[in-house]
Amino acid sequence: GLAVAQTPVIDDLLSHGSYSFDPILETGAWNTVSAPGWATVLTGVNPDKHGIFTNAPDSIFTPSLFEIIETYRPDLNTASFLASESFGWIDAHTTSSSNGNISDDSVSLLTRNLIESGDPDLIFCHFISVDKAGHLSGFGPDSPNYLTRIEETDFRVGQILTSIKNRSTYPDETWTVIITTDHGGIGNSHFYCSLEETRVFTIFSEPEDLPDKDCFGLGELAFEKLLVCPDKNIGETIRF
């Protein structure tokens, strides 16, 4: 869908940044469910270690990026604005949060308001309309509804980038923008481990920021950018 939809903002990031189209989860090993997928992105490990296998998780066994930042850099301001209630374990460790279950437009507005009037160090914003469109009318370029939702998300990303550039302190700041997803899709669903369901994209606004493999490197990249230095013993459970 991304290759067919009209996405000038994402296309510009692809042209000037770096990107990967590697699967986020090991093909043939883990089912493609949203909460486990995002837990993998934010912890750097697969479900057998972080312990989230469904969209109604009780707890997470591996510290997420936000929890580690809260422990080692409590001076940093973090935020999570989410269009889903499956991420409560994120909100518990952020300075600002939406507590999930809000519209994509609200996610964009909250993100832009914080960027324009606050001093955030890390923001995680989650849009859900593309996933909903895939379930309703199909994941793929043959679904006009799916393509429209992708294009609307591209517009929202552009709004957020504009808010960043409009900051009075922007000339003296370094911003890294990362766009990724937790799974692909086939037909009207995702759950199993076909290539269509596990293949995702990860786009980085800076050309030198591409991790060695895939989304597992997002936490490591964030640590580097935010000067977070976790205890080396964490390496026994976290793949950073």
Side-chain angles (χ1 to χ4, degrees), residues 23-100:
I24 179 177
L25 299 180
E26 298 174 7
T27 303
W30 309 109
N31 292 333
T32 47
V33 182
S34 293
W38 286 120
T40 294
V41 171
L42 294 171
T43 63
V45 300
N46 272 321
D48 63 327
K49 290 188 177 180
H50 62 57
I52 293 182
F53 294 92
T54 72
N55 280 332
D58 294 323
S59 61
I60 187 167
F61 301 140
T62 302
S64 71
L65 168 64
F66 288 99
E67 185 174 356
I68 294 173
I69 290 174
E70 181 183 51
T71 300
Y72 292 90
R73 288 295 307 274
D75 56 303
L76 298 182
N77 294 315
T78 61
S80 58
F81 301 128
L82 316 171
S84 171
E85 294 181 329
S86 300
F87 305 90
W89 46 270
I90 297 176
D91 290 341
H93 301 285
T94 58
T95 309
S96 305
S97 69
S98 62
N99 297 314

Side-chain angles (χ1 to χ4, degrees), residues 43-213:
T43 63
V45 300
N46 272 321
D48 63 327
K49 290 188 177 180
H50 62 57
I52 293 182
F53 294 92
T54 72
N55 280 332
D58 294 323
S59 61
I60 187 167
F61 301 140
T62 302
S64 71
L65 168 64
F66 288 99
E67 185 174 356
I68 294 173
I69 290 174
E70 181 183 51
T71 300
Y72 292 90
R73 288 295 307 274
D75 56 303
L76 298 182
N77 294 315
T78 61
S80 58
F81 301 128
L82 316 171
S84 171
E85 294 181 329
S86 300
F87 305 90
W89 46 270
I90 297 176
D91 290 341
H93 301 285
T94 58
T95 309
S96 305
S97 69
S98 62
N99 297 314
N101 200 29
I102 60 174
S103 69
D104 283 5
D105 283 337
S106 295
V107 170
S108 175
L109 180 61
L110 287 169
T111 301
R112 287 182 282 127
N113 285 344
L114 180 60
I115 290 171
E116 294 169 5
S117 61
D119 191 24
D121 295 293
L122 176 67
I123 304 174
F124 177 74
C125 56
H126 167 259
F127 300 117
I128 201 168
S129 61
V130 174
D131 182 67
K132 286 185 174 180
H135 285 292
L136 180 66
S137 55
F139 291 88
D142 296 330
S143 169
N145 182 35
Y146 187 63
L147 297 180
T148 297
R149 301 291 88 77
I150 292 174
E151 291 168 358
E152 291 174 349
T153 301
D154 182 77
F155 177 75
R156 294 185 185 98
V157 172
Q159 289 180 309
I160 291 171
L161 293 179
T162 297
S163 292
I164 291 173
K165 294 174 182 177
N166 285 343
R167 285 172 57 89
S168 61
T169 51
Y170 177 73
D172 301 316
E173 298 173 335
T174 300
W175 285 78
T176 297
V177 177
I178 303 171
I179 303 175
T180 191
T181 184
D182 56 323
H183 56 70
I186 185 169
N188 290 67
S189 65
H190 56 83
F191 182 76
Y192 298 105
C193 299
S194 68
L195 185 60
E196 292 85 356
E197 293 165 285
T198 58
R199 184 178 293 280
V200 300
F201 62 86
T202 309
I203 303 169
F204 305 85
S205 59
E206 299 177 35
E208 72 275 12
D209 279 338
L210 185 65
D212 292 336
K213 283 198 65 178

